[in-house]
């Protein structure tokens, strides 16, 4: 059926629900436990699944024997990831899996699997892997370091000589782990009829395609269901090794297998944000305009980086220069990535951006200090974006920037306060392949269906709000069905594209349905109080109508500016974030309440990047030393600042996503506030007490960090 | 986790009989569950001691308070009498883990808990503490580790209560081979200072019955610094207690946690404080004495200035 051009659609001028605050329509289900998350699924006759992982950071496996595991009482199946010889590249790489009637049976079985392996040398830290004589992560390479990606524009050397102020710095960001509250995993049933997977995923369609490919089953015989899931942050688009293993175990055991990873597993093999080591140089002319930029960087994306990963595998490069305009584009950027024996990176909330932002915003503040200008003014002068120009003004006013700003280190006393700011930019945009369906029943009930999943951001509620707006009903009157590949295709929840994909599609769908209802029943306006009457006239059959994403209702380009106020204890090094003022734009706001939640979440995650989170690798044993929440530290309730969130509603721009920009500038703003407070800069994240004391020169015996 | 037998004890004697040489006592279970799940302990039997009557009491008196081993950390934190008489102890309890942990954690368990060293706790690292042949932390990632030790392992003691008890000169009463044995906090941990595989001086089957806290010292304080504001282990903890009369200290005790396998106490510093009036300079001199001979390992050097500040602050709190 050929698509007929739809009449041009416009968002309603005076909406009743759009841009207002609607509570999540599934709040009660979530709070009462009625909502079933992927990890809650108990399919008929299900078995536990568990994975055996490599305890070596590098090894050649010669054999894996599961015979004894199969004899453990309760064990119904055991499979290896790959039979025969194989090379292992990192601690935690999957070797085999078992399915059984209890967790303890599975644990016993994992310990009964016999693995023969030759240990090989490894390098788990960037500085070790970069050495010329370092063990090679990939056998077929002669270096762990990739060929540099070089960008050079303008006349950089000449430009630096024209600058009246030049600053240089070296900045380090750690490997951050996604750690969604619900771990990765699935319940998979593979029978002769096909494959059904209850997946904890942010992309039901990509999991369906991934499973079909890995299992060599026709796409049409794979169904993926995700009613509720507990977060992904970019790491849950595929079925993963764990999904494929669950399917194979299911086939073998002839029963559904629930294989959810443990928190320990989560730290090893399902993604992370690459590290970065950035040598950066920035210059400005006397008028305060940025004039020249130079960056040399490296970082690791685990085994998915370095020489063998050219063009793929989640590289460790990032946008540079970030966000601000450099005159005549006088820019020289050299980026390399280094492979280490550790789990591969995956897309992580605004990939590359918080990393790029930290060094750029830090060096920008250094430049402001050197030139003796207000960091806010320097940004206003060099930020080409007109929404952010508005945000600097609104935010500075709300935050009280002018009153609070003082010279770095001039705060009196032992506990010093300081302020800082940083900005964010993000693309986003909608997926034009998105489709929706609505069924209107003669009793007036409405069911909206779309093959999208709710990552936890409020996707269900967004669909309900728009449907309610079009039909003149209340959001709670709309039943929203999502998380099923049998519904019309929705987008993956990533890249801050969900809202901009589903909103136009469901608006089109509902608008079509309303027109059809009106045409079919002869009621000129079936909305609101006329709704029931109109629906009754449908007779016996419900009305089912589809629609699709339409141009003009969404766009790209969200931004934001965040202001941080901190207190730093200069004797213990502890940083306390006192206040975050966050000003963001994302075009037309659909639901203010869940949008604010996105910003809270983004800032809280950014605080983790700033102050707490870091994957620690041990160079001696090759293991991840902190595969738990005891020593991989996350922002907690008592660490929370006062929040002030300001949203600029710009209906004329259409819908734009917010998930990612909300987290980009947080760590940078906090780092700048810390430097403003204590007068010296902690140039590596996270800003932990040891680093603060060291920056303050209070650690007399301190040796240089092992990071050279 | 391997299978094990489970039994509830009705008396201290029956508990000791049942636990034998290969059993573990179960009270709050916070530490034990982690050890079991990581295959770090392999008990044949878990003996529930919560069923033993009379061990969960806080008994005030004019000279010595008795705090039963089954008293929860939350009880210590919120008991009005303890808050008034031993504020340092109440604060040490308040800084343990999270509210949920404090609600079930017992005094005995807090004292007897094992090392939190991330090498020791890692299922695939065989370190000195697990009878391996090297201390990985010594040449590896040691930001959370000790400044003082008498052996090659640099895992520190992390019990908050031990630090507060040490400053108060409290004594643990331990049932050993059918007899109660009284041990100072120094004695309760002494073995860990010399022996890498020990977490404390308790032998298999030993059971902490109670802690006796003398009321001699009128003032006490406790402070810790962690990387997070709550629900995090101390990087450095410090407790101080003294009798304060007319602004002068007597019988002052300072103890630090997370910088040694034992509560770190320096007699010379305690002696130095005798009869002194507390001010910045005095507190600072005491701190110098306490941290003399600290031996950092590359990532934990920061603990020296941090501990110095903590000692000064904790001591000055005794004035207030």
């Amino acid at each position: 059926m050929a698509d007929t051009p739809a009449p041009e659609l416009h968002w309603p001028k005076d909406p009743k629900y759009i841009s207002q605050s609607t509570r999540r329509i599934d709040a009660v289900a979530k709070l009462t436990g009625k909502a079933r998350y992927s990890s809650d699924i108990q399919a008929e006759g299900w078995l536990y699944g568990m994975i055996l992982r490599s305890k070596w950071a590098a090894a050649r496996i010669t054999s894996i024997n599961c015979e004894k595991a199969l004899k453990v009482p309760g064990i119904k199946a055991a499979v290896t990831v790959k039979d025969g010889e194989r090379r292992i590249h990192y601690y935690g790489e999957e070797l085999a899996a078992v399915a059984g009637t209890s967790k303890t049976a599975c644990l016993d079985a994992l310990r009964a699997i016999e693995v023969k392996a030759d240990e090989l040398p490894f390098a788990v830290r960037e500085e070790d892997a970069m050495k010329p004589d370092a063990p090679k992560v990939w056998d077929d390479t002669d270096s762990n370091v990739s060929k540099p990606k070089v960008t050079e524009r303008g006349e950089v050397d000449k430009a630096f000589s024209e600058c009246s102020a030049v600053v240089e710095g070296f900045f380090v960001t750690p490997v951050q782990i996604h750690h969604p509250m619900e771990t990765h995993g699935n319940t998979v049933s593979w029978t002769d009829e096909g494959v059904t997977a209850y997946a904890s995923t942010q992309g039901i369609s990509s999991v369906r395609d991934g499973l079909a490919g890995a299992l060599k089953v026709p796409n049409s015989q794979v169904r993926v269901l995700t009613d509720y899931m507990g977060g992904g942050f970019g790491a849950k688009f595929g079925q993963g090794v764990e999904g494929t293993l669950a399917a194979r175990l299911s086939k073998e055991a002839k029963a559904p297998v629930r294989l959810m990873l443990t928190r320990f597993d989560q730290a090893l093999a399902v993604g992370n944000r690459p590290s970065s080591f950035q040598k950066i140089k920035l210059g400005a002319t006397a008028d305060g305009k940025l004039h020249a930029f130079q960056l040399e960087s490296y970082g690791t994306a685990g085994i998915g980086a370095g020489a063998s990963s050219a063009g793929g595998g989640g590289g460790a490069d990032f946008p540079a220069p970030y966000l601000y305009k450099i005159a005549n584009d006088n820019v020289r950027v050299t980026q390399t990535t280094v492979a280490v024996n550790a789990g591969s990176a995956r897309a992580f909330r605004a990939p590359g951006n918080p990393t790029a932002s930290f060094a750029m915003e830090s060096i920008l503040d250094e430049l402001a200090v050197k030139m003796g200008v207000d960091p806010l003014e320097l940004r206003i002068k060099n930020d080409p974006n007109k929404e952010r120009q508005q945000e600097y003004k609104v935010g500075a006013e709300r935050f009280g920037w002018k009153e609070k700003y003082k010279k770095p280190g001039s705060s009196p006393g032992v506990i010093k306060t300081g302020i800082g700011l940083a900005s964010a930019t993000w693309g986003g945009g909608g997926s034009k392949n998105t489709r929706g369906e609505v069924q209107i029943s003669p009793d007036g009930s409405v069911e909206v269906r779309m093959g999208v999943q709710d990552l936890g951001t409020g996707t269900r509620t967004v669909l309900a709000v728009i449907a309610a707006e079009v039909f003149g009903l209340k959001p709670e009157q709309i039943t929203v069905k999502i998380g099923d590949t049998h519904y019309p295709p929705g987008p993956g929840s990533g890249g801050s594209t969900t809202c901009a994909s589903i909103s136009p599609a469901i608006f089109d769908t509902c608008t079509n349905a309303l027109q059809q209802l009106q045409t079919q029943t002869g009621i000129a306006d079936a909305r609101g109080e006329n709704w029931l009457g109109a629906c009754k006239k449908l007779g016996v059959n419900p009305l089912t109508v589809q629609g699709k994403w339409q141009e003009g209702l969404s766009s790209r380009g969200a931004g934001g500016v965040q202001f941080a106020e901190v207190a730093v204890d200069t004797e213990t090094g502890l940083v306390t974030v006192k206040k975050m003022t966050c000003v963001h734009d994302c075009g037309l706001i659909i639901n203010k309440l869940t949008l604010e939640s996105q910003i809270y979440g983004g800032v809280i995650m950014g605080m983790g990047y700033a102050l707490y989170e870091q994957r620690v690798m041990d160079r001696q044993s090759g293991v991840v030393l902190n595969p738990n929440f005891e020593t991989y530290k996350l922002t907690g309730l008592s660490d929370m600042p006062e929040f002030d969130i300001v949203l600029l509603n710009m209906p004329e721009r259409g819908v734009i996503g917010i998930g990612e920009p909300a987290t980009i500038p947080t760590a940078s703003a906090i780092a700048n506030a810390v430097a403003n407070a204590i007068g010296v800069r902690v140039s590596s994240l996270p800003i932990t007490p040891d680093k603060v004391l060291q920056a303050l020169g209070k650690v007399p015996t301190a040796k240089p960090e092992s990071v050279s | 986790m391997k299978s094990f037998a489970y039994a509830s004890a009705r008396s201290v004697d029956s508990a000791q009989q049942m636990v034998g040489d290969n059993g573990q006592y179960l009270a709050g279970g916070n530490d034990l569950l982690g050890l079991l799940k990581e295959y770090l302990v392999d008990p044949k039997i878990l003996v529930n001691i919560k069923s033993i009557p009379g061990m969960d009491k806080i008994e005030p008196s004019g000279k010595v308070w008795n705090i039963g081993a089954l008293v929860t950390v939350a009880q210590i934190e919120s008991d009005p009498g303890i808050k008034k008489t031993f504020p340092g102890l109440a604060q040490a309890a308040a800084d343990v883990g999270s509210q949920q942990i404090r609600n079930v954690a017992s005094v005995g368990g807090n004292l007897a808990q094992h090392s939190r060293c991330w090498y020791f706790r890692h299922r695939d690292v065989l370190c000195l503490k697990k009878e391996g042949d090297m201390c990985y932390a010594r040449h590896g990632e040691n930001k959370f580790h000790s400044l003082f030790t008498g052996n090659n392992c640099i895992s520190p003691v992390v019990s908050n209560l031990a630090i507060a008890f040490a400053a108060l000169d409290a004594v643990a009463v331990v049932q050993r081979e059918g007899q109660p044995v009284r041990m100072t906090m120094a004695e309760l941990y002494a073995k860990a200072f010399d022996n890498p595989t020990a977490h404390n001086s308790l032998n298999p089957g030993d059971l902490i019955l109670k802690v006796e806290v003398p009321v001699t010292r009128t003032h006490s304080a406790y402070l810790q610094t962690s990387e997070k504001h709550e629900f995090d282990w101390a990087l450095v903890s410090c407790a101080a207690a003294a009798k304060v009369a007319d602004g002068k200290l007597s019988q002052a005790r300072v103890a630090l946690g997370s910088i040694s396998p034992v509560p770190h106490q320096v007699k010379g510093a305690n002696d130095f404080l005798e009869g002194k009036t507390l001010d910045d300079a005095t507190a600072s001199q005491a701190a110098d004495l306490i941290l003399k001979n600290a031996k950092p390992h590359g990532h934990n050097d920061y603990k020296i200035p941090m501990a110095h500040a903590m000692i000064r602050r904790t001591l000055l709190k005794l004035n207030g």
Side-chain angles (χ1 to χ4, degrees):
Chain A
M1 190 176 80
D3 288 333
T4 46
E8 203 184 325
L9 288 172
H10 299 283
W11 292 109
K13 283 269 174 290
D14 296 303
K16 192 163 178 204
Y17 296 107
I18 289 174
S19 303
Q20 307 302 312
S21 284
T22 298
R23 280 194 309 190
R24 286 172 197 255
I25 57 167
D26 45 14
V28 172
K30 286 186 171 187
L31 290 171
T32 56
K34 200 179 153 211
R36 293 284 155 193
Y37 284 72
S38 307
S39 49
D40 295 324
I41 299 298
Q42 303 200 25
E44 180 75 30
W46 69 283
L47 302 170
Y48 284 96
M50 260 185 216
I51 294 177
L52 179 71
R53 296 177 180 277
S54 169
K55 58 180 179 175
W56 306 281
R60 195 172 312 284
I61 304 289
T62 51
S63 74
I64 300 177
N65 187 339
C66 295
E67 271 174 41
K68 284 185 185 159
L70 282 164
K71 288 188 181 132
V72 172
I75 293 301
K76 305 292 182 193
V79 297
T80 59
V81 171
K82 185 174 175 288
D83 286 329
E85 285 210 5
R86 76 179 273 226
R87 179 81 153 81
I88 291 299
H89 298 95
Y90 63 96
Y91 174 81
E93 197 167 347
E94 302 85 352
L95 298 178
V98 297
T101 50
S102 72
K103 268 188 190 178
T104 44
C106 290
L107 283 168
D108 287 347
L110 292 185
R111 290 166 77 85
I113 296 174
E114 292 167 315
V115 182
K116 290 212 177 89
D118 300 321
E119 282 184 64
L120 296 170
F122 53 82
V124 296
R125 299 188 310 180
E126 297 87 336
E127 65 271 30
D128 299 333
M130 286 177 86
K131 290 176 185 153
D133 59 346
K136 302 298 170 284
V137 173
W138 295 95
D139 289 333
D140 53 352
T141 55
D142 52 12
S143 168
N144 292 321
V145 184
S146 69
K147 217 172 138 241
K149 203 174 85 184
V150 183
T151 311
E152 181 150 1
R153 298 187 294 265
E155 292 177 275
V156 181
D157 294 324
K158 181 167 165 285
F160 271 116
S161 72
E162 292 158 1
C163 290
S164 71
V166 175
V167 283
E168 292 183 71
F170 184 68
F171 299 94
V172 179
T173 61
V175 169
Q176 187 186 20
I177 300 176
H178 299 71
H179 275 317
M181 270 303 131
E182 184 181 53
T183 58
H184 284 59
N186 311 268
T187 291
V188 187
S189 169
W190 186 0
T191 66
D192 292 343
E193 279 89 64
V195 177
T196 304
Y198 299 86
S200 180
T201 182
Q202 51 196 108
I204 52 173
S205 305
S206 44
V207 169
R208 177 198 56 205
D209 300 348
L211 276 173
L215 307 176
K216 301 188 172 55
V217 171
N219 208 297
S220 58
Q221 285 180 24
V222 182
R223 184 181 188 186
V224 177
L225 299 156
T226 302
D227 204 6
Y228 291 90
M229 61 85 69
F233 306 117
K236 280 188 186 167
F237 283 108
Q239 82 281 9
V241 177
E242 63 278 7
T244 307
L245 285 172
R248 290 176 54 207
L249 287 167
S250 168
K251 191 177 191 188
E252 191 94 6
K254 299 188 171 54
V257 171
R258 183 215 276 177
L259 199 165
M260 298 301 296
L261 300 194
T262 62
R263 189 54 65 188
F264 177 86
D265 298 335
Q266 206 68 24
L268 311 177
V270 287
N272 53 67
R273 187 190 295 287
S275 63
S276 80
F277 298 76
Q278 310 181 41
K279 190 167 174 248
I280 196 167
K281 186 174 169 186
L282 180 68
T285 42
D287 58 357
K289 294 276 192 188
L290 301 182
H291 194 63
F293 174 90
Q294 182 173 298
L295 172 84
E296 283 170 56
S297 75
Y298 65 93
T300 189
I303 58 163
S308 78
S309 69
D317 44 355
F318 46 84
Y322 192 66
L323 190 141
Y324 299 99
K325 186 174 161 42
I326 313 290
N328 307 322
D329 222 2
N330 295 317
V331 167
R332 179 186 293 138
V333 175
T334 307
Q335 293 182 312
T336 59
T337 66
V338 51
V340 301
N341 292 104
S344 191
R346 288 185 187 172
F348 192 159
R349 203 170 190 172
N353 281 248
T355 309
S357 167
F358 171 60
M360 186 66 188
E361 298 281 5
S362 296
I363 199 73
L364 201 59
D365 263 30
E366 293 294 291
L367 185 65
V369 170
K370 184 150 192 184
M371 298 185 83
V373 300
D374 182 334
L376 172 69
E377 296 305 327
L378 192 61
R379 283 168 176 79
I380 290 173
K381 201 166 275 183
N382 290 288
D383 190 335
N385 178 275
K386 73 173 194 297
E387 283 82 26
R388 275 194 304 275
Q389 286 295 338
Q390 202 179 328
E391 286 157 359
Y392 290 123
K393 289 194 178 67
V394 173
E397 180 104 344
R398 289 281 285 245
F399 184 73
W401 178 271
K402 293 281 173 208
E403 300 77 59
K404 285 178 180 168
Y405 186 77
K406 48 192 180 307
K407 232 178 108 251
S410 63
S411 169
V414 169
I415 295 173
K416 297 187 183 298
T417 57
I419 59 171
L421 84 159
S423 307
T425 182
W426 188 254
S431 161
K432 63 180 181 201
N433 301 321
T434 308
R435 288 169 180 268
E437 183 174 272
V438 61
Q439 180 166 304
I440 299 167
S441 295
D443 65 353
S445 61
V446 179
E447 185 171 293
V448 163
R449 299 167 191 148
M450 192 185 280
V452 65
Q453 54 291 313
D454 192 340
L455 189 54
T457 56
T459 300
R460 260 195 187 79
T461 309
V462 162
L463 294 172
V465 162
I466 295 171
E469 189 73 54
V470 175
F471 298 142
L473 301 172
K474 292 176 182 162
E476 58 267 30
Q477 288 176 280
I478 311 293
T479 299
V480 179
K481 295 281 193 179
I482 57 170
D484 187 339
T485 48
H486 283 180
Y487 297 143
S493 298
S496 301
T497 62
T498 313
C499 203
S501 302
I502 66 172
S503 302
I506 212 65
F507 187 59
D508 179 61
T509 304
C510 294
T511 305
N512 289 348
L514 179 66
Q515 280 165 359
Q516 215 165 310
L517 175 67
Q518 289 171 168
T519 310
Q520 206 168 315
T521 59
I523 292 174
D525 186 351
R527 294 177 296 173
E529 57 190 20
N530 299 336
W531 183 256
L532 260 181
C535 293
K536 266 189 195 147
K537 284 197 161 191
L538 281 171
V540 191
N541 289 328
L543 175 65
T544 305
V545 178
Q546 295 209 346
K548 64 186 176 65
W549 187 87
Q550 298 290 347
E551 196 77 54
L553 295 169
S554 62
S555 60
R556 293 169 49 81
V561 179
Q562 294 182 3
F563 300 77
E565 183 175 1
V566 303
V568 185
D569 187 325
T570 55
E571 287 186 343
T572 64
L574 184 70
V575 175
T576 303
V577 183
K578 311 289 284 182
K579 182 170 185 171
M580 291 294 306
T581 296
C582 313
V583 193
H584 284 269
D585 66 274
C586 56
L588 169 69
I589 295 169
I590 296 293
N591 184 18
K592 201 159 161 268
L593 201 59
T594 46
L595 170 52
E596 283 167 356
S597 287
Q598 282 275 61
I599 294 173
Y600 285 121
V603 172
I604 291 164
M605 193 168 233
M607 282 181 62
Y609 197 49
L611 302 174
Y612 310 117
E613 296 182 44
Q614 174 173 29
R615 184 189 72 186
V616 181
M617 302 298 300
D618 178 48
R619 68 178 170 79
Q620 307 160 100
S621 58
V623 306
V624 176
L625 269 181
N626 55 349
N628 52 57
F629 286 155
E630 175 186 348
T631 44
Y632 187 95
K633 300 182 183 185
L634 297 171
T635 314
L637 267 179
S638 59
D639 306 312
M640 297 296 168
E642 176 194 342
F643 281 92
D644 183 20
I645 294 173
V646 187
L647 303 169
L648 304 185
N649 193 18
M650 300 174 170
E652 67 284 2
R653 300 189 67 209
V655 180
I656 312 174
I658 189 69
E660 279 153 309
T663 204
I664 293 171
T666 310
S668 312
I670 291 171
N672 280 340
V674 169
N676 179 250
I678 63 177
V680 285
R681 186 164 289 276
V682 177
S683 55
S684 101
L685 297 181
I687 303 173
T688 43
D690 54 329
K691 291 183 191 167
V692 172
L693 292 175
Q694 195 148 331
L696 286 165
K698 298 205 171 181
V699 187
T701 55
K703 294 163 198 126
E705 266 228 56
S706 51
V707 175
S708 53
Chain B
M1 196 188 296
K2 292 203 179 143
S3 35
F4 48 78
Y6 176 92
S8 283
R10 294 282 164 205
S11 71
V12 172
D13 284 347
S14 73
Q16 289 203 309
Q17 268 168 26
M18 288 191 287
V19 85
D21 285 338
N22 297 311
Q24 293 267 343
Y25 296 117
L26 170 66
N30 287 309
D31 192 30
L32 185 57
L33 191 63
L35 294 167
L36 287 167
K37 284 170 81 171
E38 296 297 335
Y39 295 89
L40 294 169
V41 294
D42 183 18
K44 299 279 173 289
I45 183 168
L46 292 192
V47 179
N48 171 28
I49 54 168
K50 291 191 295 292
S51 44
I52 301 176
M55 278 174 66
D56 58 352
K57 303 248 183 325
I58 298 173
E59 293 168 334
S61 91
K63 282 185 98 170
V64 174
W65 287 43
N66 285 304
I67 298 175
L70 290 175
V71 169
T72 65
V73 174
Q75 272 175 276
I76 303 258
E77 172 191 8
S78 57
D79 185 87
I82 288 187
K83 279 207 253 190
K84 188 163 172 286
T85 314
F86 308 114
L89 179 60
Q91 187 57 48
D95 284 346
V96 170
S98 65
Q99 187 67 57
Q100 290 92 330
I101 286 174
R102 295 193 292 274
N103 286 343
V104 289
S106 66
V107 168
N110 186 274
L111 292 176
Q113 66 184 303
H114 288 196
S115 162
R116 297 309 310 180
C117 170
W118 49 12
Y119 291 100
F120 169 72
R121 292 274 166 178
H122 202 292
R123 62 181 72 162
D124 288 319
V125 177
L126 186 63
C127 76
L128 202 55
K129 217 167 189 32
K130 293 187 276 193
E131 295 175 347
D133 52 16
M134 67 179 273
C135 173
Y136 283 79
R138 207 168 253 276
H139 305 287
E141 302 297 326
N142 53 45
K143 76 185 283 197
F144 300 129
H145 291 74
S146 291
L147 298 171
F148 300 90
T149 180
N151 70 84
N152 276 328
C153 165
I154 55 171
S155 154
V157 64
V158 294
S159 162
N160 287 6
L161 298 187
I163 306 311
F165 281 140
L168 289 163
D169 226 0
V171 168
V173 179
V174 176
Q175 188 78 355
R176 174 174 284 176
E177 291 164 12
Q179 297 295 323
V181 180
R182 301 177 78 252
M183 298 168 102
T184 63
M185 288 300 127
E187 289 162 347
L188 185 62
Y189 292 96
K191 204 167 156 189
F193 196 77
D194 300 319
N195 180 350
T197 62
H199 307 283
N200 48 53
S201 312
L202 297 173
N203 295 333
D206 281 2
L207 180 61
I208 300 174
L209 302 178
K210 63 174 179 175
V211 180
E212 298 172 352
V213 193
V215 297
T216 327
R217 292 166 186 79
T218 53
H219 289 65
S220 64
Y222 172 94
L223 289 174
Q224 74 176 48
T225 295
S226 308
E227 291 185 330
K228 290 171 54 177
H229 292 79
E230 267 181 35
F231 199 3
D232 195 6
W233 299 97
L235 298 167
V236 174
S237 62
C238 182
K243 189 172 176 181
V244 186
D246 302 330
K248 285 197 178 7
L249 300 190
S250 60
Q251 301 181 52
R253 297 279 184 278
V254 181
L256 282 92
S258 299
I259 61 165
S260 168
V262 302
H264 181 65
Q265 304 176 83
V266 174
K267 187 170 179 300
N270 294 340
D271 294 345
F272 164 80
L273 289 166
E274 189 66 30
K276 292 275 190 322
T277 304
L278 272 177
D279 56 19
D280 264 329
T282 314
S284 186
Q285 276 174 283
D288 290 343
L289 289 170
I290 291 167
L291 295 170
K292 208 175 125 187
N293 301 326
K295 194 170 172 303
H297 299 279
H299 300 130
N300 65 347
D301 309 48
Y302 72 93
K303 286 194 177 189
I304 297 175
M306 180 183 282
H308 202 276
M310 308 278 296
I311 295 166
R312 281 183 279 121
R313 288 183 187 183
T314 313
L315 275 172
L316 291 171
K317 274 192 85 155
L318 295 181
N319 276 342

